Amino acid sequence: IGGDVPSKLKKNHPKNAVGYALAVAADGDTETLCEEYVIGTVSHARLDAEALGLVATRSAKPTLTPKGTESVRTLSYCYDGTLPALEKVREYYGSQKRLIDVEPAMGIVARDAILQYPPTQELLNVLDNIAEEGTEEFRVDQVAKCLARRRPEFAIDLFLSTDPKTRRAALRDREIRLEVFDREENYHTNTLFQYKAVLFHTGLLTSRGLDTLADLDFSEEKESQMWIPEDSS
């Protein structure tokens, strides 16, 4: 994926990144506010907020990016203040409800952020192409191979394990080896679970992801391993 953007999200709900941005903007200590209103693992919420371009922590103190400032301004307007917006975030701690459905304003802010996350537009282009071709090959290994044909290193970074042996096997002698994507054990759970769940919560995919790598089984057409764009369902 390149640059200094983390390629793997830490949490499976976009309210954590959005909530961290709100905690940065609110009066009070950011970590304390995040623990109280968002999630206990503050460092993970911060990393996701950084990955989605909402905050920057080049100095010791996290600051909002222009996108983060605009996101906070939008949510503060919709919920009558930064603290009420944080209180709304807290309501969804541990919730399985789809964010875009139950909190459209927050879902749209999160959707805008994830659309600007490096893998998303490339991934959505591939999914749109699959839908246009009418093949309905939306299982994760099929999507990964489709992406690998056009952006090999990108696909490796997004879908495959960080194990060096797996990555070397996938790109050997400067040629992509698509058969590596056929083995379930080669995949990265952060993409299968966290990233896919965020895409689901923001209305981009039709289903959540897998809980564990052990659930991945390419011999089946399980909903949890299908990456179907919402508008083609």
Side-chain angles (χ1 to χ4, degrees):
I1 291 171
D4 59 357
V5 177
S7 62
K8 315 299 180 189
L9 296 175
K10 300 295 182 183
K11 295 299 178 184
N12 67 334
H13 203 300
K15 63 96 178 168
N16 296 306
V18 171
Y20 186 83
L22 288 166
V24 170
D27 292 332
D29 179 70
T30 297
E31 291 208 1
T32 301
L33 289 166
C34 186
E35 287 178 352
E36 181 177 355
Y37 293 99
V38 186
I39 196 168
T41 49
V42 177
S43 62
H44 286 179
R46 175 180 57 79
L47 287 170
D48 281 1
E50 286 182 4
L52 297 187
L54 301 175
V55 302
T57 54
R58 294 184 183 89
S59 60
K61 185 178 180 181
T63 57
L64 293 174
T65 62
K67 182 166 68 174
T69 299
E70 199 55 43
S71 297
V72 168
R73 182 180 291 117
T74 298
L75 294 173
S76 296
Y77 174 79
C78 292
Y79 296 105
D80 296 322
T82 305
L83 189 59
L86 276 169
E87 290 171 346
K88 182 59 66 175
V89 169
R90 182 166 58 183
E91 288 182 21
Y92 292 98
Y93 181 84
S95 173
Q96 294 296 309
K97 296 176 181 178
R98 196 181 195 189
L99 187 65
I100 195 77
D101 294 335
V102 295
E103 294 296 334
M106 195 177 300
I108 289 169
V109 166
R111 182 188 181 103
D112 179 65
I114 198 67
L115 282 171
Q116 295 179 57
Y117 181 59
T120 305
Q121 286 296 342
E122 192 74 31
L123 174 66
L124 292 179
N125 287 339
V126 166
L127 295 177
D128 285 343
N129 288 345
I130 292 172
E132 289 167 3
E133 291 166 3
T135 59
E136 297 188 1
E137 293 182 345
F138 289 112
R139 200 176 58 223
V140 63
D141 58 316
Q142 298 166 327
V143 173
K145 285 188 285 187
C146 188
L147 179 59
R149 291 187 186 99
R150 38 164 103 173
R151 295 286 300 279
E153 294 181 354
F154 198 96
I156 290 169
D157 193 25
L158 180 60
F159 283 106
L160 294 186
S161 162
T162 55
D163 177 46
K165 291 182 181 179
T166 300
R167 291 178 172 242
R168 284 197 297 270
L171 194 64
R172 194 166 63 249
D173 300 326
R174 296 187 178 183
E175 290 188 15
I176 189 69
R177 310 290 175 169
L178 295 178
E179 63 271 16
V180 174
F181 294 92
D182 291 327
R183 295 193 287 276
E184 291 92 341
E185 65 272 17
N186 289 338
Y187 282 76
H188 199 294
T189 53
N190 289 67
T191 294
L192 300 176
F193 182 45
Q194 280 91 336
Y195 180 48
K196 192 185 179 198
V198 171
L199 295 175
F200 168 75
H201 274 294
T202 52
L204 296 171
L205 294 185
T206 60
S207 64
R208 289 183 176 83
L210 300 154
D211 290 332
T212 67
L213 191 60
D215 295 329
L216 196 61
D217 185 354
F218 296 151
S219 68
E220 299 182 18
E221 298 293 318
K222 295 188 291 188
E223 183 183 41
S224 58
Q225 57 188 20
M226 303 298 287
W227 288 55
I228 303 173
E230 186 63 53
D231 60 359
S232 71
S233 58

